[in-house]
PDB file of all heavy atoms in Angstrom:
ATOM      1  N   HIS A 147     -54.726 -46.993  38.367  1.00 98.00           N
ATOM      2  CA  HIS A 147     -56.125 -47.218  38.048  1.00 98.00           C
ATOM      3  C   HIS A 147     -56.595 -46.241  36.975  1.00 98.00           C
ATOM      4  O   HIS A 147     -56.262 -45.057  37.010  1.00 98.00           O
ATOM      5  CB  HIS A 147     -56.998 -47.078  39.287  1.00 98.00           C
ATOM      6  CG  HIS A 147     -56.874 -48.227  40.238  1.00 98.00           C
ATOM      7  ND1 HIS A 147     -57.963 -48.832  40.832  1.00 98.00           N
ATOM      8  CD2 HIS A 147     -55.784 -48.907  40.695  1.00 98.00           C
ATOM      9  CE1 HIS A 147     -57.556 -49.824  41.615  1.00 98.00           C
ATOM     10  NE2 HIS A 147     -56.232 -49.873  41.545  1.00 98.00           N
ATOM     11  N   GLY A 148     -57.383 -46.769  36.036  1.00 98.00           N
ATOM     12  CA  GLY A 148     -57.967 -45.940  34.991  1.00 98.00           C
ATOM     13  C   GLY A 148     -59.471 -45.835  35.195  1.00 98.00           C
ATOM     14  O   GLY A 148     -60.170 -46.851  35.209  1.00 98.00           O
ATOM     15  N   TYR A 149     -59.961 -44.613  35.369  1.00 98.00           N
ATOM     16  CA  TYR A 149     -61.377 -44.377  35.661  1.00 98.00           C
ATOM     17  C   TYR A 149     -62.077 -43.957  34.381  1.00 98.00           C
ATOM     18  O   TYR A 149     -61.739 -42.935  33.790  1.00 98.00           O
ATOM     19  CB  TYR A 149     -61.529 -43.333  36.766  1.00 98.00           C
ATOM     20  CG  TYR A 149     -60.942 -43.824  38.061  1.00 98.00           C
ATOM     21  CD1 TYR A 149     -59.573 -43.725  38.300  1.00 98.00           C
ATOM     22  CD2 TYR A 149     -61.734 -44.456  39.007  1.00 98.00           C
ATOM     23  CE1 TYR A 149     -59.004 -44.231  39.465  1.00 98.00           C
ATOM     24  CE2 TYR A 149     -61.183 -44.963  40.178  1.00 98.00           C
ATOM     25  CZ  TYR A 149     -59.820 -44.851  40.399  1.00 98.00           C
ATOM     26  OH  TYR A 149     -59.273 -45.365  41.550  1.00 98.00           O
ATOM     27  N   GLU A 150     -63.047 -44.765  33.951  1.00 98.00           N
ATOM     28  CA  GLU A 150     -63.724 -44.546  32.683  1.00 98.00           C
ATOM     29  C   GLU A 150     -65.067 -43.853  32.905  1.00 98.00           C
ATOM     30  O   GLU A 150     -65.978 -44.420  33.512  1.00 98.00           O
ATOM     31  CB  GLU A 150     -63.934 -45.882  31.970  1.00 98.00           C
ATOM     32  CG  GLU A 150     -62.622 -46.589  31.651  1.00 98.00           C
ATOM     33  CD  GLU A 150     -62.821 -47.946  31.007  1.00 98.00           C
ATOM     34  OE1 GLU A 150     -64.002 -48.370  30.862  1.00 98.00           O
ATOM     35  OE2 GLU A 150     -61.810 -48.583  30.651  1.00 98.00           O
ATOM     36  N   PHE A 151     -65.170 -42.624  32.412  1.00 98.00           N
ATOM     37  CA  PHE A 151     -66.421 -41.880  32.435  1.00 98.00           C
ATOM     38  C   PHE A 151     -67.103 -42.145  31.095  1.00 98.00           C
ATOM     39  O   PHE A 151     -66.611 -41.739  30.047  1.00 98.00           O
ATOM     40  CB  PHE A 151     -66.169 -40.395  32.663  1.00 98.00           C
ATOM     41  CG  PHE A 151     -65.624 -40.088  34.027  1.00 98.00           C
ATOM     42  CD1 PHE A 151     -64.259 -40.187  34.278  1.00 98.00           C
ATOM     43  CD2 PHE A 151     -66.466 -39.719  35.066  1.00 98.00           C
ATOM     44  CE1 PHE A 151     -63.738 -39.910  35.539  1.00 98.00           C
ATOM     45  CE2 PHE A 151     -65.962 -39.444  36.330  1.00 98.00           C
ATOM     46  CZ  PHE A 151     -64.595 -39.548  36.575  1.00 98.00           C
ATOM     47  N   ARG A 152     -68.223 -42.867  31.139  1.00 98.00           N
ATOM     48  CA  ARG A 152     -68.878 -43.350  29.928  1.00 98.00           C
ATOM     49  C   ARG A 152     -70.266 -42.721  29.789  1.00 98.00           C
ATOM     50  O   ARG A 152     -70.990 -42.574  30.778  1.00 98.00           O
ATOM     51  CB  ARG A 152     -69.032 -44.870  29.976  1.00 98.00           C
ATOM     52  CG  ARG A 152     -67.754 -45.633  30.265  1.00 98.00           C
ATOM     53  CD  ARG A 152     -68.066 -47.112  30.450  1.00 98.00           C
ATOM     54  NE  ARG A 152     -66.908 -47.901  30.860  1.00 98.00           N
ATOM     55  CZ  ARG A 152     -66.961 -49.186  31.197  1.00 98.00           C
ATOM     56  NH1 ARG A 152     -68.123 -49.825  31.166  1.00 98.00           N
ATOM     57  NH2 ARG A 152     -65.865 -49.835  31.554  1.00 98.00           N
ATOM     58  N   VAL A 153     -70.621 -42.385  28.557  1.00 98.00           N
ATOM     59  CA  VAL A 153     -71.963 -41.894  28.267  1.00 98.00           C
ATOM     60  C   VAL A 153     -72.533 -42.725  27.120  1.00 98.00           C
ATOM     61  O   VAL A 153     -71.827 -43.048  26.159  1.00 98.00           O
ATOM     62  CB  VAL A 153     -71.952 -40.378  27.939  1.00 98.00           C
ATOM     63  CG1 VAL A 153     -71.123 -40.066  26.706  1.00 98.00           C
ATOM     64  CG2 VAL A 153     -73.359 -39.844  27.793  1.00 98.00           C
ATOM     65  N   TYR A 154     -73.784 -43.120  27.270  1.00 98.00           N
ATOM     66  CA  TYR A 154     -74.459 -43.961  26.290  1.00 98.00           C
ATOM     67  C   TYR A 154     -75.738 -43.265  25.833  1.00 98.00           C
ATOM     68  O   TYR A 154     -76.512 -42.761  26.674  1.00 98.00           O
ATOM     69  CB  TYR A 154     -74.849 -45.312  26.886  1.00 98.00           C
ATOM     70  CG  TYR A 154     -73.708 -46.129  27.429  1.00 98.00           C
ATOM     71  CD1 TYR A 154     -73.225 -45.929  28.724  1.00 98.00           C
ATOM     72  CD2 TYR A 154     -73.116 -47.134  26.664  1.00 98.00           C
ATOM     73  CE1 TYR A 154     -72.187 -46.689  29.233  1.00 98.00           C
ATOM     74  CE2 TYR A 154     -72.074 -47.913  27.177  1.00 98.00           C
ATOM     75  CZ  TYR A 154     -71.619 -47.679  28.453  1.00 98.00           C
ATOM     76  OH  TYR A 154     -70.590 -48.433  28.966  1.00 98.00           O
ATOM     77  N   ALA A 155     -75.974 -43.235  24.530  1.00 98.00           N
ATOM     78  CA  ALA A 155     -77.219 -42.721  23.963  1.00 98.00           C
ATOM     79  C   ALA A 155     -78.129 -43.909  23.657  1.00 98.00           C
ATOM     80  O   ALA A 155     -77.731 -44.832  22.940  1.00 98.00           O
ATOM     81  CB  ALA A 155     -76.933 -41.936  22.691  1.00 98.00           C
ATOM     82  N   LEU A 156     -79.345 -43.880  24.211  1.00 98.00           N
ATOM     83  CA  LEU A 156     -80.273 -44.996  24.051  1.00 98.00           C
ATOM     84  C   LEU A 156     -81.496 -44.607  23.223  1.00 98.00           C
ATOM     85  O   LEU A 156     -81.898 -43.439  23.214  1.00 98.00           O
ATOM     86  CB  LEU A 156     -80.744 -45.503  25.414  1.00 98.00           C
ATOM     87  CG  LEU A 156     -79.682 -45.859  26.457  1.00 98.00           C
ATOM     88  CD1 LEU A 156     -80.362 -46.488  27.676  1.00 98.00           C
ATOM     89  CD2 LEU A 156     -78.617 -46.772  25.900  1.00 98.00           C
ATOM     90  N   ASP A 157     -82.092 -45.611  22.592  1.00 98.00           N
ATOM     91  CA  ASP A 157     -83.282 -45.361  21.773  1.00 98.00           C
ATOM     92  C   ASP A 157     -84.577 -45.587  22.537  1.00 98.00           C
ATOM     93  O   ASP A 157     -85.656 -45.680  21.937  1.00 98.00           O
ATOM     94  CB  ASP A 157     -83.254 -46.221  20.503  1.00 98.00           C
ATOM     95  CG  ASP A 157     -83.336 -47.724  20.788  1.00 98.00           C
ATOM     96  OD1 ASP A 157     -83.451 -48.110  21.975  1.00 98.00           O
ATOM     97  OD2 ASP A 157     -83.278 -48.509  19.826  1.00 98.00           O
ATOM     98  N   VAL A 158     -84.499 -45.671  23.856  1.00 98.00           N
ATOM     99  CA  VAL A 158     -85.692 -45.797  24.703  1.00 98.00           C
ATOM    100  C   VAL A 158     -85.674 -44.696  25.754  1.00 98.00           C
ATOM    101  O   VAL A 158     -84.604 -44.267  26.202  1.00 98.00           O
ATOM    102  CB  VAL A 158     -85.781 -47.177  25.391  1.00 98.00           C
ATOM    103  CG1 VAL A 158     -86.109 -48.252  24.376  1.00 98.00           C
ATOM    104  CG2 VAL A 158     -84.501 -47.500  26.156  1.00 98.00           C
ATOM    105  N   LYS A 159     -86.848 -44.254  26.151  1.00 98.00           N
ATOM    106  CA  LYS A 159     -86.950 -43.165  27.125  1.00 98.00           C
ATOM    107  C   LYS A 159     -86.621 -43.630  28.535  1.00 98.00           C
ATOM    108  O   LYS A 159     -86.101 -42.876  29.352  1.00 98.00           O
ATOM    109  CB  LYS A 159     -88.355 -42.563  27.078  1.00 98.00           C
ATOM    110  CG  LYS A 159     -88.505 -41.284  27.878  1.00 98.00           C
ATOM    111  CD  LYS A 159     -89.844 -40.626  27.623  1.00 98.00           C
ATOM    112  CE  LYS A 159     -89.947 -39.299  28.371  1.00 98.00           C
ATOM    113  NZ  LYS A 159     -91.246 -38.616  28.100  1.00 98.00           N
ATOM    114  N   THR A 160     -86.934 -44.886  28.828  1.00 97.00           N
ATOM    115  CA  THR A 160     -86.668 -45.417  30.168  1.00 97.00           C
ATOM    116  C   THR A 160     -86.208 -46.860  30.082  1.00 97.00           C
ATOM    117  O   THR A 160     -86.638 -47.613  29.195  1.00 97.00           O
ATOM    118  CB  THR A 160     -87.918 -45.326  31.061  1.00 97.00           C
ATOM    119  OG1 THR A 160     -87.625 -45.898  32.352  1.00 97.00           O
ATOM    120  CG2 THR A 160     -89.102 -46.040  30.462  1.00 97.00           C
ATOM    121  N   LEU A 161     -85.335 -47.242  31.004  1.00 98.00           N
ATOM    122  CA  LEU A 161     -84.927 -48.639  31.128  1.00 98.00           C
ATOM    123  C   LEU A 161     -85.878 -49.412  32.031  1.00 98.00           C
ATOM    124  O   LEU A 161     -85.754 -50.631  32.177  1.00 98.00           O
ATOM    125  CB  LEU A 161     -83.497 -48.732  31.681  1.00 98.00           C
ATOM    126  CG  LEU A 161     -82.390 -48.282  30.732  1.00 98.00           C
ATOM    127  CD1 LEU A 161     -81.032 -48.387  31.415  1.00 98.00           C
ATOM    128  CD2 LEU A 161     -82.405 -49.103  29.442  1.00 98.00           C
ATOM    129  N   ASP A 162     -86.793 -48.675  32.668  1.00 97.00           N
ATOM    130  CA  ASP A 162     -87.816 -49.302  33.508  1.00 97.00           C
ATOM    131  C   ASP A 162     -87.182 -50.216  34.552  1.00 97.00           C
ATOM    132  O   ASP A 162     -87.563 -51.370  34.719  1.00 97.00           O
ATOM    133  CB  ASP A 162     -88.815 -50.082  32.650  1.00 97.00           C
ATOM    134  CG  ASP A 162     -90.090 -50.437  33.402  1.00 97.00           C
ATOM    135  OD1 ASP A 162     -90.411 -49.720  34.367  1.00 97.00           O
ATOM    136  OD2 ASP A 162     -90.742 -51.436  33.037  1.00 97.00           O
ATOM    137  N   LEU A 163     -86.190 -49.655  35.258  1.00 97.00           N
ATOM    138  CA  LEU A 163     -85.507 -50.382  36.322  1.00 97.00           C
ATOM    139  C   LEU A 163     -85.682 -49.647  37.648  1.00 97.00           C
ATOM    140  O   LEU A 163     -85.740 -48.406  37.673  1.00 97.00           O
ATOM    141  CB  LEU A 163     -84.012 -50.498  36.017  1.00 97.00           C
ATOM    142  CG  LEU A 163     -83.597 -51.468  34.905  1.00 97.00           C
ATOM    143  CD1 LEU A 163     -82.124 -51.255  34.561  1.00 97.00           C
ATOM    144  CD2 LEU A 163     -83.832 -52.912  35.343  1.00 97.00           C
ATOM    145  N   PRO A 164     -85.743 -50.373  38.770  1.00 95.00           N
ATOM    146  CA  PRO A 164     -85.821 -49.709  40.081  1.00 95.00           C
ATOM    147  C   PRO A 164     -84.483 -49.062  40.426  1.00 95.00           C
ATOM    148  O   PRO A 164     -83.442 -49.423  39.862  1.00 95.00           O
ATOM    149  CB  PRO A 164     -86.139 -50.859  41.034  1.00 95.00           C
ATOM    150  CG  PRO A 164     -85.543 -52.057  40.368  1.00 95.00           C
ATOM    151  CD  PRO A 164     -85.725 -51.842  38.897  1.00 95.00           C
TER     152      PRO A 164
END
Side-chain angles (χ1 to χ4, degrees):
H147 287 225
Y149 296 82
E150 299 177 357
F151 293 84
R152 308 173 186 174
V153 62
Y154 301 84
L156 308 186
D157 65 2
V158 289
K159 190 171 183 178
T160 178
L161 290 178
D162 195 25
L163 287 169

